[in-house]
Amino acid sequence: MSTTHVPTELEALSELEISTAEELAGRFPLTPNENPASQADYEQVMSELTFGNKFTDHMAHMRWTKEEGWSERGIIPYGPLALTPGAAVLHYSQSVFEGIKAYRHADGSIWTFRPAYNAARLNHSASRLALPKVDRDDFLASLVDYVRADEKWVPTGDGTSLYLRPLLFASEEFLGVHASSVVDYYVIGSPSGPYFTSGFTGVAIWVVKGYHRAGPGGTGSAKCGGNYAASLMPQLQAAEKGFSQVCFLDTYEEKYLEELGGMNMFVVMADGTVRTPELTGVILEGGTRSAICKMLRSQGTPVREEMIALDELVAGIHSGEVAEVFACGTAAVVTPITRLANDDFDVELPVGETTKRIHKQLTDIQMGYAQDPFGWMYRLV
C-alpha cells in the first residue's frame, strides 16, 4: 500500500492563497439591529454557554437569482425569515450548510480555522444539490463582516467559540420539481461551550444496522440537511438504549464502518498506526478529519484511509490490537469513543493518549496556544 497521500480536491482548494480579512471587510454592509439583546440577556447567554441554543444580534445574507446572480449582500438584524409555505426548500430539501468556528485568542484577536476548506466544501455540496456556487471571497467576507458586527459574542475560554453556520437554500415559491431560481445564503452564529457537556470523558456509540444516512450515488459527501434527517430515527433509538450517537455501516453488506451521525471516525492501533474509513463518496469529507490526517502524517505517524470491517474492529479491541477509537468534527473537535455496541457485541475502550494528544495539538492551534505550521488559522478581527 502506498504511503503517499494525494490531496483531495477540497484539500487542494483549501491550500490556495486567499484574500485577507482587511481586503474583504465591508463587502457585506451593516444594517444595525435596533433591538439587540439586552445587557442582562447577553450576560446570561455568555455565562451559560451551551451549543446552538442562542444566537447573536445579526446575520449575514445575500440572494441569488437565475437572472442576476448574487446580490443584496449585507449584515442584517437576526430574526425570522419571510418564507411562504410554497418555498421550494420546504418541499424538496434543496439546502446545504457548513459548520465553522470563530475563536478568541488571548490577545483579543479573533480567528477561524481553514475557512477556504469550508468554502470549497459548501460549493461541492451546492453542486450536488443543484444550488449555485458561492464565490470564495463572498464566503470569507460574510464571515469577516458578520463576526466584526457581533464581535462581543465571541466568548473567551478553553473549549468556547462562536459557532458559525453558513447555509444555502432554495427560496423560490413553486411546487414543480426543478432546481430553484431563487436561493438565499445566510450566516448565523451561536456562542457555544463544549459540544459534549460531559467533557473529554468519552461517548458510547451504537452501531446501527438496517438504517443508512446515505447510499452510493446519493448525497453522502454533501453536507445537506437530508443526511442528518436520515440519521435521527436510529439516533433516537440509540438514545433510548443510553448511547450518545450511532455509527453507520456500508449500504450493501453492512460490514464496513462509514461515519457517525455527525462525525468521522478514527481507529488507533496498538502499533501507533491510525486508520480512518476511506472517502467513498458516501461519507462526508470532514475538515477536522483532513486536518488530523495531515497533522499526523507531518509527525511521521502512519495514517491509512481504508475500508475498516466492523468484525475486525471488534476482534481487535478484544485482542488489544486496537488501542483507541475516536470521532471528530467541527462542533466536537475530537471525542473519545469509549464504548461500541449493538445487538451482537458490547466492547469498551479507554480514553487513549493518542486521542488526548491529537485533541490538544489541534485545539492549541485553534486557540492560539501553539504555532500553526500549516497556515490553517485565518484572522477575522
PDB file of all heavy atoms in Angstrom, residues 225-248:
ATOM      1  N   GLY A 225     -29.057  18.844   4.743  1.00  0.00           N
ATOM      2  CA  GLY A 225     -29.918  18.517   5.868  1.00  0.00           C
ATOM      3  C   GLY A 225     -30.532  17.141   5.796  1.00  0.00           C
ATOM      4  O   GLY A 225     -30.740  16.494   6.834  1.00  0.00           O
ATOM      5  N   GLY A 226     -30.816  16.650   4.584  1.00  0.00           N
ATOM      6  CA  GLY A 226     -31.455  15.353   4.442  1.00  0.00           C
ATOM      7  C   GLY A 226     -30.638  14.220   5.024  1.00  0.00           C
ATOM      8  O   GLY A 226     -31.194  13.262   5.571  1.00  0.00           O
ATOM      9  N   ASN A 227     -29.313  14.309   4.923  1.00  0.00           N
ATOM     10  CA  ASN A 227     -28.465  13.264   5.504  1.00  0.00           C
ATOM     11  C   ASN A 227     -28.634  13.201   7.016  1.00  0.00           C
ATOM     12  O   ASN A 227     -28.646  12.120   7.616  1.00  0.00           O
ATOM     13  CB  ASN A 227     -26.999  13.531   5.176  1.00  0.00           C
ATOM     14  CG  ASN A 227     -26.695  13.398   3.697  1.00  0.00           C
ATOM     15  OD1 ASN A 227     -27.474  12.846   2.931  1.00  0.00           O
ATOM     16  ND2 ASN A 227     -25.558  13.931   3.288  1.00  0.00           N
ATOM     17  N   TYR A 228     -28.756  14.357   7.623  1.00  0.00           N
ATOM     18  CA  TYR A 228     -28.901  14.411   9.073  1.00  0.00           C
ATOM     19  C   TYR A 228     -30.301  13.977   9.488  1.00  0.00           C
ATOM     20  O   TYR A 228     -30.478  13.312  10.514  1.00  0.00           O
ATOM     21  CB  TYR A 228     -28.573  15.816   9.578  1.00  0.00           C
ATOM     22  CG  TYR A 228     -27.113  16.152   9.365  1.00  0.00           C
ATOM     23  CD1 TYR A 228     -26.654  16.581   8.127  1.00  0.00           C
ATOM     24  CD2 TYR A 228     -26.192  15.995  10.390  1.00  0.00           C
ATOM     25  CE1 TYR A 228     -25.318  16.860   7.901  1.00  0.00           C
ATOM     26  CE2 TYR A 228     -24.848  16.267  10.183  1.00  0.00           C
ATOM     27  CZ  TYR A 228     -24.411  16.700   8.940  1.00  0.00           C
ATOM     28  OH  TYR A 228     -23.084  16.966   8.727  1.00  0.00           O
ATOM     29  N   ALA A 229     -31.297  14.343   8.691  1.00  0.00           N
ATOM     30  CA  ALA A 229     -32.657  13.888   8.979  1.00  0.00           C
ATOM     31  C   ALA A 229     -32.727  12.362   8.954  1.00  0.00           C
ATOM     32  O   ALA A 229     -33.399  11.746   9.787  1.00  0.00           O
ATOM     33  CB  ALA A 229     -33.633  14.482   7.959  1.00  0.00           C
ATOM     34  N   ALA A 230     -31.994  11.757   8.011  1.00  0.00           N
ATOM     35  CA  ALA A 230     -31.990  10.295   7.903  1.00  0.00           C
ATOM     36  C   ALA A 230     -31.347   9.629   9.115  1.00  0.00           C
ATOM     37  O   ALA A 230     -31.601   8.456   9.389  1.00  0.00           O
ATOM     38  CB  ALA A 230     -31.268   9.874   6.623  1.00  0.00           C
ATOM     39  N   SER A 231     -30.518  10.375   9.836  1.00  0.00           N
ATOM     40  CA  SER A 231     -29.822   9.797  10.985  1.00  0.00           C
ATOM     41  C   SER A 231     -30.626   9.908  12.278  1.00  0.00           C
ATOM     42  O   SER A 231     -30.264   9.276  13.284  1.00  0.00           O
ATOM     43  CB  SER A 231     -28.475  10.489  11.177  1.00  0.00           C
ATOM     44  OG  SER A 231     -28.635  11.791  11.729  1.00  0.00           O
ATOM     45  N   LEU A 232     -31.700  10.671  12.290  1.00  0.00           N
ATOM     46  CA  LEU A 232     -32.364  10.991  13.551  1.00  0.00           C
ATOM     47  C   LEU A 232     -33.127   9.816  14.160  1.00  0.00           C
ATOM     48  O   LEU A 232     -33.096   9.616  15.377  1.00  0.00           O
ATOM     49  CB  LEU A 232     -33.309  12.187  13.356  1.00  0.00           C
ATOM     50  CG  LEU A 232     -32.619  13.504  12.995  1.00  0.00           C
ATOM     51  CD1 LEU A 232     -33.650  14.604  12.832  1.00  0.00           C
ATOM     52  CD2 LEU A 232     -31.587  13.888  14.048  1.00  0.00           C
ATOM     53  N   MET A 233     -33.821   9.038  13.339  1.00  0.00           N
ATOM     54  CA  MET A 233     -34.589   7.919  13.884  1.00  0.00           C
ATOM     55  C   MET A 233     -33.693   6.900  14.567  1.00  0.00           C
ATOM     56  O   MET A 233     -33.918   6.524  15.724  1.00  0.00           O
ATOM     57  CB  MET A 233     -35.439   7.261  12.800  1.00  0.00           C
ATOM     58  CG  MET A 233     -36.208   6.024  13.295  1.00  0.00           C
ATOM     59  SD  MET A 233     -37.260   6.365  14.728  1.00  0.00           S
ATOM     60  CE  MET A 233     -38.555   7.308  13.926  1.00  0.00           C
ATOM     61  N   PRO A 234     -32.631   6.403  13.905  1.00  0.00           N
ATOM     62  CA  PRO A 234     -31.757   5.462  14.619  1.00  0.00           C
ATOM     63  C   PRO A 234     -31.067   6.114  15.816  1.00  0.00           C
ATOM     64  O   PRO A 234     -30.787   5.433  16.812  1.00  0.00           O
ATOM     65  CB  PRO A 234     -30.749   5.028  13.552  1.00  0.00           C
ATOM     66  CG  PRO A 234     -30.844   6.048  12.470  1.00  0.00           C
ATOM     67  CD  PRO A 234     -32.243   6.537  12.489  1.00  0.00           C
ATOM     68  N   GLN A 235     -30.815   7.417  15.741  1.00  0.00           N
ATOM     69  CA  GLN A 235     -30.187   8.078  16.881  1.00  0.00           C
ATOM     70  C   GLN A 235     -31.139   8.141  18.071  1.00  0.00           C
ATOM     71  O   GLN A 235     -30.721   7.961  19.217  1.00  0.00           O
ATOM     72  CB  GLN A 235     -29.730   9.487  16.489  1.00  0.00           C
ATOM     73  CG  GLN A 235     -28.931  10.181  17.565  1.00  0.00           C
ATOM     74  CD  GLN A 235     -28.119  11.343  17.040  1.00  0.00           C
ATOM     75  OE1 GLN A 235     -27.431  11.233  16.033  1.00  0.00           O
ATOM     76  NE2 GLN A 235     -28.201  12.470  17.731  1.00  0.00           N
ATOM     77  N   LEU A 236     -32.415   8.367  17.801  1.00  0.00           N
ATOM     78  CA  LEU A 236     -33.405   8.336  18.878  1.00  0.00           C
ATOM     79  C   LEU A 236     -33.469   6.959  19.523  1.00  0.00           C
ATOM     80  O   LEU A 236     -33.529   6.823  20.752  1.00  0.00           O
ATOM     81  CB  LEU A 236     -34.785   8.721  18.340  1.00  0.00           C
ATOM     82  CG  LEU A 236     -35.054  10.204  18.089  1.00  0.00           C
ATOM     83  CD1 LEU A 236     -36.399  10.388  17.401  1.00  0.00           C
ATOM     84  CD2 LEU A 236     -35.026  10.987  19.402  1.00  0.00           C
ATOM     85  N   GLN A 237     -33.449   5.936  18.681  1.00  0.00           N
ATOM     86  CA  GLN A 237     -33.495   4.573  19.205  1.00  0.00           C
ATOM     87  C   GLN A 237     -32.244   4.250  20.023  1.00  0.00           C
ATOM     88  O   GLN A 237     -32.316   3.581  21.054  1.00  0.00           O
ATOM     89  CB  GLN A 237     -33.653   3.585  18.047  1.00  0.00           C
ATOM     90  CG  GLN A 237     -34.991   3.727  17.322  1.00  0.00           C
ATOM     91  CD  GLN A 237     -35.083   2.843  16.100  1.00  0.00           C
ATOM     92  OE1 GLN A 237     -34.117   2.183  15.709  1.00  0.00           O
ATOM     93  NE2 GLN A 237     -36.257   2.825  15.464  1.00  0.00           N
ATOM     94  N   ALA A 238     -31.095   4.757  19.566  1.00  0.00           N
ATOM     95  CA  ALA A 238     -29.855   4.530  20.315  1.00  0.00           C
ATOM     96  C   ALA A 238     -29.881   5.269  21.650  1.00  0.00           C
ATOM     97  O   ALA A 238     -29.414   4.751  22.668  1.00  0.00           O
ATOM     98  CB  ALA A 238     -28.657   4.986  19.480  1.00  0.00           C
ATOM     99  N   ALA A 239     -30.438   6.478  21.642  1.00  0.00           N
ATOM    100  CA  ALA A 239     -30.521   7.257  22.884  1.00  0.00           C
ATOM    101  C   ALA A 239     -31.363   6.530  23.930  1.00  0.00           C
ATOM    102  O   ALA A 239     -31.061   6.593  25.132  1.00  0.00           O
ATOM    103  CB  ALA A 239     -31.095   8.634  22.593  1.00  0.00           C
ATOM    104  N   GLU A 240     -32.399   5.849  23.473  1.00  0.00           N
ATOM    105  CA  GLU A 240     -33.232   5.088  24.411  1.00  0.00           C
ATOM    106  C   GLU A 240     -32.458   3.957  25.075  1.00  0.00           C
ATOM    107  O   GLU A 240     -32.813   3.503  26.164  1.00  0.00           O
ATOM    108  CB  GLU A 240     -34.452   4.523  23.671  1.00  0.00           C
ATOM    109  CG  GLU A 240     -35.434   5.598  23.202  1.00  0.00           C
ATOM    110  CD  GLU A 240     -36.549   5.032  22.347  1.00  0.00           C
ATOM    111  OE1 GLU A 240     -36.490   3.807  22.032  1.00  0.00           O
ATOM    112  OE2 GLU A 240     -37.457   5.790  21.977  1.00  0.00           O
ATOM    113  N   LYS A 241     -31.394   3.518  24.418  1.00  0.00           N
ATOM    114  CA  LYS A 241     -30.539   2.453  24.970  1.00  0.00           C
ATOM    115  C   LYS A 241     -29.384   3.034  25.789  1.00  0.00           C
ATOM    116  O   LYS A 241     -28.568   2.296  26.329  1.00  0.00           O
ATOM    117  CB  LYS A 241     -29.969   1.599  23.833  1.00  0.00           C
ATOM    118  CG  LYS A 241     -30.996   0.957  22.916  1.00  0.00           C
ATOM    119  CD  LYS A 241     -30.301   0.232  21.763  1.00  0.00           C
ATOM    120  CE  LYS A 241     -31.278  -0.234  20.696  1.00  0.00           C
ATOM    121  NZ  LYS A 241     -32.120  -1.343  21.164  1.00  0.00           N
ATOM    122  N   GLY A 242     -29.288   4.377  25.824  1.00  0.00           N
ATOM    123  CA  GLY A 242     -28.233   5.017  26.598  1.00  0.00           C
ATOM    124  C   GLY A 242     -26.989   5.381  25.817  1.00  0.00           C
ATOM    125  O   GLY A 242     -25.929   5.612  26.409  1.00  0.00           O
ATOM    126  N   PHE A 243     -27.105   5.482  24.487  1.00  0.00           N
ATOM    127  CA  PHE A 243     -25.954   5.787  23.650  1.00  0.00           C
ATOM    128  C   PHE A 243     -26.039   7.215  23.110  1.00  0.00           C
ATOM    129  O   PHE A 243     -27.126   7.727  22.836  1.00  0.00           O
ATOM    130  CB  PHE A 243     -25.851   4.789  22.497  1.00  0.00           C
ATOM    131  CG  PHE A 243     -25.510   3.396  22.951  1.00  0.00           C
ATOM    132  CD1 PHE A 243     -26.508   2.546  23.422  1.00  0.00           C
ATOM    133  CD2 PHE A 243     -24.204   2.958  22.953  1.00  0.00           C
ATOM    134  CE1 PHE A 243     -26.198   1.272  23.864  1.00  0.00           C
ATOM    135  CE2 PHE A 243     -23.884   1.678  23.399  1.00  0.00           C
ATOM    136  CZ  PHE A 243     -24.890   0.832  23.861  1.00  0.00           C
ATOM    137  N   SER A 244     -24.870   7.839  22.921  1.00  0.00           N
ATOM    138  CA  SER A 244     -24.823   9.244  22.503  1.00  0.00           C
ATOM    139  C   SER A 244     -25.112   9.422  21.015  1.00  0.00           C
ATOM    140  O   SER A 244     -25.790  10.369  20.620  1.00  0.00           O
ATOM    141  CB  SER A 244     -23.440   9.834  22.816  1.00  0.00           C
ATOM    142  OG  SER A 244     -23.180   9.805  24.193  1.00  0.00           O
ATOM    143  N   GLN A 245     -24.567   8.548  20.191  1.00  0.00           N
ATOM    144  CA  GLN A 245     -24.754   8.643  18.745  1.00  0.00           C
ATOM    145  C   GLN A 245     -24.725   7.245  18.153  1.00  0.00           C
ATOM    146  O   GLN A 245     -24.483   6.256  18.847  1.00  0.00           O
ATOM    147  CB  GLN A 245     -23.664   9.513  18.096  1.00  0.00           C
ATOM    148  CG  GLN A 245     -23.845  11.005  18.307  1.00  0.00           C
ATOM    149  CD  GLN A 245     -23.107  11.811  17.258  1.00  0.00           C
ATOM    150  OE1 GLN A 245     -22.924  11.401  16.113  1.00  0.00           O
ATOM    151  NE2 GLN A 245     -22.672  13.007  17.646  1.00  0.00           N
ATOM    152  N   VAL A 246     -24.941   7.214  16.829  1.00  0.00           N
ATOM    153  CA  VAL A 246     -24.893   5.944  16.113  1.00  0.00           C
ATOM    154  C   VAL A 246     -23.737   5.953  15.118  1.00  0.00           C
ATOM    155  O   VAL A 246     -23.307   7.006  14.641  1.00  0.00           O
ATOM    156  CB  VAL A 246     -26.209   5.652  15.361  1.00  0.00           C
ATOM    157  CG1 VAL A 246     -27.351   5.484  16.341  1.00  0.00           C
ATOM    158  CG2 VAL A 246     -26.517   6.742  14.344  1.00  0.00           C
ATOM    159  N   CYS A 247     -23.246   4.765  14.829  1.00  0.00           N
ATOM    160  CA  CYS A 247     -22.279   4.568  13.766  1.00  0.00           C
ATOM    161  C   CYS A 247     -22.978   3.831  12.631  1.00  0.00           C
ATOM    162  O   CYS A 247     -23.621   2.792  12.860  1.00  0.00           O
ATOM    163  CB  CYS A 247     -21.086   3.758  14.261  1.00  0.00           C
ATOM    164  SG  CYS A 247     -19.949   3.226  12.955  1.00  0.00           S
ATOM    165  N   PHE A 248     -22.867   4.361  11.420  1.00  0.00           N
ATOM    166  CA  PHE A 248     -23.488   3.726  10.250  1.00  0.00           C
ATOM    167  C   PHE A 248     -22.493   2.832   9.535  1.00  0.00           C
ATOM    168  O   PHE A 248     -21.287   3.106   9.504  1.00  0.00           O
ATOM    169  CB  PHE A 248     -24.015   4.792   9.290  1.00  0.00           C
ATOM    170  CG  PHE A 248     -25.181   5.565   9.828  1.00  0.00           C
ATOM    171  CD1 PHE A 248     -25.003   6.806  10.422  1.00  0.00           C
ATOM    172  CD2 PHE A 248     -26.470   5.046   9.767  1.00  0.00           C
ATOM    173  CE1 PHE A 248     -26.078   7.516  10.934  1.00  0.00           C
ATOM    174  CE2 PHE A 248     -27.546   5.740  10.281  1.00  0.00           C
ATOM    175  CZ  PHE A 248     -27.348   6.983  10.866  1.00  0.00           C
TER     176      PHE A 248
END
